[in-house]
Amino acid sequence: MNSRGKNILVLSYVVSPYRGSEASVAWNYITEMSKEHHLTVLYGCGGLHLGDNDDMERWLAEKSMPNVDFVFVKPNSLSRILNWPNRKGFFPMCYHLAYRAWHRTVYNVARELVAERHFDLIHYLGSSGYSQQGYLWKLDLPYMRGPMGGFNIAPDSMLSELPALQRLRWKFRNWHIRKDLKRNDFLAEAVRCTDVIIGATSENARVIKRHFGKDCDYMPENCMRNPGYICNDRFEAPGELNIMMAGRLDANKNNILLLQAISRMTHADKVHVDFVGDGPMRPALERYIADNKLGNIVTIRGMMPRDKVQELFDNAHLHVVTSVSEGNPTVVWEAMEHGVPTLTLDHCGMADVVDEKSGVKISIGTSEEMSAAIAVALDALVETPERLKQLSEGTIERSTIYQWDERRRKFNQYYDQTIANYNNRLKTHPHC
């Protein structure tokens, strides 16, 4: 540990060296920040569900990481009972209650650790959603939260064609966010007692500043551990436009929008789409593909080994994101690492990461308006394949600002600021 090294108590709900999404956010952070600091990492999921520790047990049985102590916080009996319906797949919303109960156990474990060891600060890294603030901000230590997100409102224009149950779910979520911003006293107190808070997207940072009066920078949850590259000459004279969508096949990912756009294209015969992933919307997507005779154009590949997914990225010309709501999907960084530009709806974290040189952004509107705009954009790329190469080169250039060297520097700045703000807070609000 260097002279700047700090002892940091880190909270990350899920940690795994083998999984993507939030598990990879935590793993990459731990791998990189432990180069300069000693981390004690509290986590509750080292596998698939709360309380599972399969991945971490397997990894720790053979390996270790310098400057890192992993502390698995087992859920208590209440958490396990509450999470049982979620594990069985028939009432996923119970997970939130289980997760909240788990946070109380985390607080008790953290209190014991703080009594035994010296920590310079606490960093609540993940999960990134604002709804579970936990209780570590109540400990008498400098406290940092983020990147934190979840304040983004799903656009009404995108909800009209969702299945009725999903439309109701999103409308309830929008209502709940607005209510929390106005009347959630626990959330307001936790934000007030946070010495540094970081928004996961520029939109979330603006919301935090506007509603809580808290200075808030923006930093995506994840970034790239390797420079972007182009591994072959696939952009020189592509015979067809290879499009890739990766992620869970659910209503939020809104995969149907891409299929609707393909159906409207003039040059649909020059396109091939690979869906990587599985989920509850797969039957509906398969029906749409059959009804619209897209079987030669679209392939649903289901779940695939990671190395096979990387092969698809290495042969893709374009990555597409059509989600109703997101933070910063990890798959955007994977595409960027492979030199694959992204076509995305112009909102959420994608709007921050993708610019006009590294992708195509589609304005938010009705499903008909957006599918028409996507179709026009795809036809234009088929007609001018040299534009694809330009976007790929722009993606490589864009990737240079999302490397871990820069991210480590920013985190170190935030840590110093956390300690300074805490000391100032003690003078003005000793009891927060």
Side-chain angles (χ1 to χ4, degrees):
M1 205 162 50
N2 64 24
S3 60
R4 292 195 64 212
K6 296 176 173 61
N7 290 315
I8 305 174
L9 182 61
V10 179
L11 171 58
S12 181
Y13 161 65
V14 58
V15 177
S16 172
Y18 309 120
R19 300 177 189 269
S21 194
E22 286 193 306
S24 69
V25 170
W27 190 255
N28 292 341
Y29 164 89
I30 294 164
T31 301
E32 295 293 332
M33 296 308 294
S34 63
K35 296 175 180 177
E36 300 188 32
H37 306 285
H38 187 279
L39 310 178
T40 300
V41 181
L42 306 178
Y43 71 101
C45 178
L48 186 60
H49 288 286
L50 174 64
D52 292 347
N53 199 26
D54 310 62
D55 292 357
M56 289 305 298
E57 283 183 345
R58 174 156 57 106
W59 190 87
L60 289 169
E62 301 176 354
K63 302 175 183 178
S64 63
M65 194 179 297
N67 286 332
V68 181
D69 296 325
F70 290 100
V71 180
F72 178 51
V73 181
K74 296 180 180 179
N76 60 19
S77 56
L78 176 60
S79 293
R80 291 194 298 271
I81 291 169
L82 290 171
N83 199 44
W84 183 83
N86 173 55
R87 272 183 177 273
K88 297 302 180 181
F90 59 83
F91 196 29
M93 294 302 290
C94 281
Y95 156 76
H96 297 285
L97 298 175
Y99 185 43
R100 179 172 297 179
W102 176 76
H103 269 289
R104 292 196 175 275
T105 306
V106 170
Y107 178 68
N108 292 331
V109 171
R111 252 192 335 188
E112 293 177 3
L113 288 171
V114 168
E116 296 170 357
R117 311 179 196 176
H118 166 75
F119 292 101
D120 294 294
L121 73 149
I122 298 171
H123 181 183
Y124 181 176
L125 177 69
S127 296
S128 62
Y130 81 87
S131 61
Q132 299 290 351
Q133 290 294 318
Y135 305 94
L136 298 192
W137 54 271
K138 295 188 174 187
L139 297 172
D140 189 17
L141 280 171
Y143 179 73
M144 174 176 152
R145 175 78 202 269
M148 184 176 80
F151 290 112
N152 45 300
I153 301 293
D156 286 339
S157 60
M158 296 186 65
L159 304 183
S160 60
E161 293 191 22
L162 291 179
L165 189 60
Q166 291 297 326
R167 185 165 64 250
L168 182 63
R169 173 180 173 268
W170 280 107
K171 285 183 175 295
F172 174 78
R173 179 184 179 274
N174 287 350
W175 169 83
H176 196 270
I177 292 170
R178 293 186 177 102
K179 176 186 72 67
D180 279 344
L181 289 171
K182 292 180 180 178
R183 296 192 295 274
N184 189 326
D185 294 337
F186 184 85
L187 170 63
E189 185 180 6
V191 171
R192 188 177 74 250
C193 292
T194 301
D195 297 298
V196 165
I197 189 166
I198 308 168
T201 68
S202 60
E203 177 186 5
N204 279 280
R206 289 192 297 271
V207 170
I208 292 166
K209 173 68 174 177
R210 183 168 65 248
H211 285 271
F212 302 106
K214 195 89 171 181
D215 288 336
C216 184
D217 284 351
Y218 145 67
M219 175 192 280
E221 302 103 299
N222 216 340
C223 72
M224 300 174 61
R225 296 191 63 195
N226 301 302
Y229 69 94
I230 306 175
C231 74
N232 55 36
D233 59 356
R234 64 187 184 275
F235 292 102
E236 292 299 332
E240 65 179 6
L241 178 63
N242 291 331
I243 299 173
M244 184 169 172
M245 289 189 81
R248 182 171 165 79
L249 303 182
D250 61 21
N252 178 52
K253 295 300 182 183
N254 200 23
N255 311 79
I256 194 73
L257 186 63
L258 177 58
L259 296 183
Q260 292 168 342
I262 299 294
S263 299
R264 305 177 76 139
M265 286 182 65
T266 302
H267 303 298
D269 59 320
K270 299 290 183 63
V271 167
H272 187 268
V273 180
D274 285 306
F275 285 124
V276 177
D278 216 330
M281 289 299 293
R282 181 167 183 165
L285 296 174
E286 290 175 335
R287 283 194 300 272
Y288 189 95
I289 291 168
D291 292 345
N292 291 273
K293 298 180 173 57
L294 299 178
N296 293 329
I297 296 174
V298 182
T299 303
I300 299 181
R301 296 186 177 271
M303 302 300 293
M304 299 178 66
R306 190 167 182 81
D307 60 331
K308 297 299 182 183
V309 177
Q310 304 309 307
E311 289 178 10
L312 282 178
F313 269 121
D314 279 336
N315 289 288
H317 301 107
L318 188 68
H319 166 241
V320 176
V321 180
T322 53
S323 301
V324 174
S325 181
E326 287 280 6
N328 290 282
T330 302
V331 69
V332 172
W333 310 110
E334 291 187 69
M336 191 175 282
E337 185 173 316
H338 292 263
V340 181
T342 293
L343 182 150
T344 177
L345 302 185
D346 191 13
H347 69 162
C348 304
M350 300 83 72
D352 294 322
V353 175
V354 177
D355 66 1
E356 68 280 357
K357 293 182 179 180
S358 61
V360 178
K361 295 198 277 192
I362 303 297
S363 298
I364 299 298
T366 64
S367 293
E368 184 172 351
E369 290 168 342
M370 291 185 294
S371 64
I374 293 171
V376 169
L378 294 179
D379 276 325
L381 291 174
V382 171
E383 293 168 359
T384 55
E386 63 274 12
R387 175 64 177 149
L388 281 171
K389 186 176 182 182
Q390 293 170 357
L391 289 174
S392 179
E393 292 169 350
T395 297
I396 300 299
E397 180 181 350
R398 184 71 169 168
S399 73
T400 59
I401 67 174
Y402 295 110
Q403 300 293 320
W404 257 105
D405 285 346
E406 172 63 15
R407 191 175 181 87
R408 248 194 331 268
R409 185 187 68 81
K410 291 287 290 184
F411 268 131
N412 285 331
Q413 287 182 342
Y414 290 137
Y415 289 156
D416 290 339
Q417 190 62 52
T418 298
I419 294 171
N421 289 355
Y422 169 78
N423 291 330
N424 291 332
R425 176 161 61 90
L426 286 182
K427 298 174 185 177
T428 57
H429 300 90
H431 303 294
C432 192

